[in-house]
């Protein structure tokens, strides 16, 4: 009796394997892992990250202060209008930021949507050289401004560019 049960079970196993019903017994599985945020070290160091308009302006200013001819910004979780804000940020740096207004003649920009973020590509055209940028003197207070102008006049310098945080 025991042999008959084993023989029947073997026949059933053999028949299900030969008839294609074996796939009925194979099961798939899935694995769920928690999402891990990307850190700045995972990304290219030349690509800056912004999440709002203020960050966007700061990134554009950073590229100008470094004298870069181009730059890339990734916008994560950006809730504003990317096209309008990118245009406004470039215009703000070009016309209202002292260094941008002095150094730049134009900023070309474009953006594209990549799955979970926007990638903004910027190209800067400078009207001044990097030597001109390096020659900018920071001056704080009217005394420092007078001293710098006096020293420039005494040494017959052809020009002097001062950068100050306040209007005096």
């Amino acid at each position: 009796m025991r042999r008959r049960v084993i023989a029947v079970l073997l026949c059933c196993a053999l028949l299900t394997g030969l008839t294609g019903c074996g796939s009925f017994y194979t099961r798939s599985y899935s694995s769920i892992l928690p999402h891990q945020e990307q850190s700045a070290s995972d990304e290219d160091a030349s690509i800056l990250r912004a999440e709002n308009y203020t960050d966007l302006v700061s990134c554009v200013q950073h590229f100008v202060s470094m004298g870069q001819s181009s730059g890339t910004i990734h916008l994560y979780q950006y809730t504003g209008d990317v096209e309008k804000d990118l245009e406004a940020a470039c215009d703000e740096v070009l016309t209202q930021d002292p260094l941008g207004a002095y150094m730049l003649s134009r900023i070309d920009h474009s953006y594209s949507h990549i799955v979970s973020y926007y990638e903004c590509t910027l190209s800067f055209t400078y009207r001044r050289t990097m030597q001109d940028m390096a020659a900018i003197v920071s001056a704080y207070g009217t005394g420092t401004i007078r001293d710098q102008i006096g020293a420039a006049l005494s040494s017959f310098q052809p020009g002097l560019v001062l950068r100050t945080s306040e209007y005096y």
Side-chain angles (χ1 to χ4, degrees):
M1 174 81 174
R2 190 171 188 207
R3 288 185 180 190
R4 282 187 184 174
V5 173
I6 292 175
V8 169
L9 287 176
L10 284 174
C11 286
C12 288
L14 185 62
L15 285 174
T16 57
L18 294 175
T19 60
C21 293
S23 63
F24 177 74
Y25 295 109
T26 60
R27 305 207 185 221
S28 64
Y29 69 94
S30 61
S31 175
I32 299 173
L33 300 173
H35 174 71
Q36 294 183 2
E37 290 289 329
Q38 294 179 347
S39 65
S41 62
D42 294 342
E43 296 179 4
D44 186 358
S46 65
I47 298 174
L48 300 181
R49 179 183 181 137
E51 293 181 2
N52 55 44
Y53 179 77
T54 305
D55 291 347
L56 185 59
V57 172
S58 295
C59 290
V60 177
Q61 288 172 329
H62 174 76
F63 289 135
V64 174
S65 69
M66 299 304 290
Q68 294 183 337
S69 60
S70 63
T72 303
I73 304 170
H74 286 175
L75 302 176
Y76 290 95
Q77 301 172 354
Y78 200 81
T79 57
D81 184 344
V82 175
E83 184 175 6
K84 288 181 183 177
D85 289 352
L86 184 58
E87 177 73 32
C90 291
D91 186 55
E92 183 176 330
V93 171
L94 192 59
T95 61
Q96 296 175 19
D97 178 61
L99 185 61
Y102 177 69
M103 292 294 297
L104 295 171
S105 63
R106 67 187 272 182
I107 303 174
D108 295 318
H109 56 83
S110 64
Y111 73 96
S112 58
H113 187 263
I114 301 174
V115 185
S116 63
Y117 63 92
Y118 290 94
E119 182 174 88
C120 304
T121 305
L122 305 167
S123 176
F124 302 96
T125 305
Y126 292 90
R127 73 171 109 202
R128 308 226 187 256
T129 65
M130 293 304 117
Q131 290 82 9
D132 292 336
M133 184 189 300
I136 296 173
V137 177
S138 295
Y140 303 101
T142 55
T144 308
I145 294 172
R146 273 193 218 108
D147 293 344
Q148 291 293 330
I149 293 173
L153 289 172
S154 297
S155 62
F156 299 102
Q157 289 181 356
L160 174 67
V161 179
L162 297 174
R163 183 175 188 177
T164 181
S165 60
E166 300 287 329
Y167 177 74
Y168 297 103

